[in-house]
């Protein structure tokens, strides 16, 4: 039994051989900190010089565009305008037309304001039920929808 315990303790001693750190005196710690500070300062200087070189490379300026421009002006409560300019002077101002709700098309089936346009019949419609009714009418008589389109 003693042999086994001795062998087990030898195995444990072999596996637990770790580096044991030397306990430094205060003076040795101070010298080590001084050396580390010097190394860090040199590293910082190299890093800052590298960053400065990168900034110099990034400072390439794009040429300023001086050709004709189209500028959209929008002011609350005022009419919107599009300005076509060349350089500093304005060549022409054109008002931007806003679409009113009153100008929107009416659905020929429901009579409501149409939010959608059927791509096949080119007729406006207000909802899904009106769309289905338009398509059913188109399936029965494609020419009959032309009259409905002119009436709307």
């Amino acid at each position: 039994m003693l042999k086994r315990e001795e062998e087990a303790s030898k195995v444990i001693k072999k596996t637990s051989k770790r580096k044991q750190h030397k306990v430094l005196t205060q003076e040795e710690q101070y010298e080590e900190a001084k050396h580390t500070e010097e190394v860090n300062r040199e590293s910082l200087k190299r890093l800052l010089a590298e960053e400065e070189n990168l900034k110099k490379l990034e400072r390439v300026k794009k040429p300023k565009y001086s050709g004709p421009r189209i500028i959209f002006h929008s002011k609350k409560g005022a009419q919107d305008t599009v300005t076509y300019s060349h350089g500093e002077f304005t060549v022409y101002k054109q008002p931007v037309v806003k679409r009113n709700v009153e100008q929107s098309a009416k659905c020929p089936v429901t009579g409501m304001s149409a939010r959608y346009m059927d791509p096949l019949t080119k007729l406006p419609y207000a909802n899904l039920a009106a769309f289905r009714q338009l398509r059913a009418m188109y399936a029965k008589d494609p020419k009959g929808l032309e009259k409905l389109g002119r009436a709307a």
Side-chain angles (χ1 to χ4, degrees), residues 14-141:
K14 285 182 183 177
T15 58
S16 65
K17 285 187 179 178
R18 294 183 178 170
K19 286 187 176 180
Q20 292 185 1
H21 295 285
K22 180 183 171 189
V23 178
L24 300 176
T25 64
Q26 194 170 13
E27 189 175 315
E28 290 172 337
Q29 288 177 351
Y30 176 72
E31 291 298 320
E32 188 176 326
K34 216 172 169 184
H35 176 71
T36 304
E37 182 184 9
E38 289 173 10
V39 171
N40 288 345
R41 283 186 191 272
E42 289 173 14
S43 175
L44 179 63
K45 284 180 186 176
R46 281 194 307 267
L47 180 67
L48 290 175
E50 236 177 84
E51 285 183 3
E52 190 64 35
N53 287 337
L54 286 176
K55 283 182 182 178
K56 286 179 184 176
L57 292 175
E58 290 176 359
R59 288 184 193 158
V60 177
K61 291 186 178 180
K62 292 181 184 178
K64 188 175 179 181
Y65 180 74
S66 60
R69 297 174 294 181
I70 299 174
I71 305 167
F72 180 78
H73 302 280
S74 178
K75 295 179 183 172
K76 192 173 182 179
Q79 190 174 21
D80 295 339
T81 58
V82 177
T83 306
Y84 302 96
S85 64
H86 186 278
E88 294 300 318
F89 63 94
T90 300
V91 177
Y92 177 70
K93 287 188 179 182
Q94 175 184 355
V96 177
V97 179
K98 289 186 178 180
R99 184 175 177 195
N100 294 332
V101 178
E102 298 162 1
Q103 293 176 346
S104 64
K106 298 283 183 194
C107 175
V109 177
T110 62
M112 298 187 324
S113 177
R115 296 179 64 189
Y116 313 102
M117 183 71 70
D118 182 8
L120 179 64
T121 63
K122 306 288 190 238
L123 290 173
Y125 62 95
N127 53 29
L128 183 60
F131 174 74
R132 288 183 177 153
Q133 195 170 352
L134 282 174
R135 286 295 173 102
M137 292 169 66
Y138 180 78
K140 289 179 186 174
D141 184 22

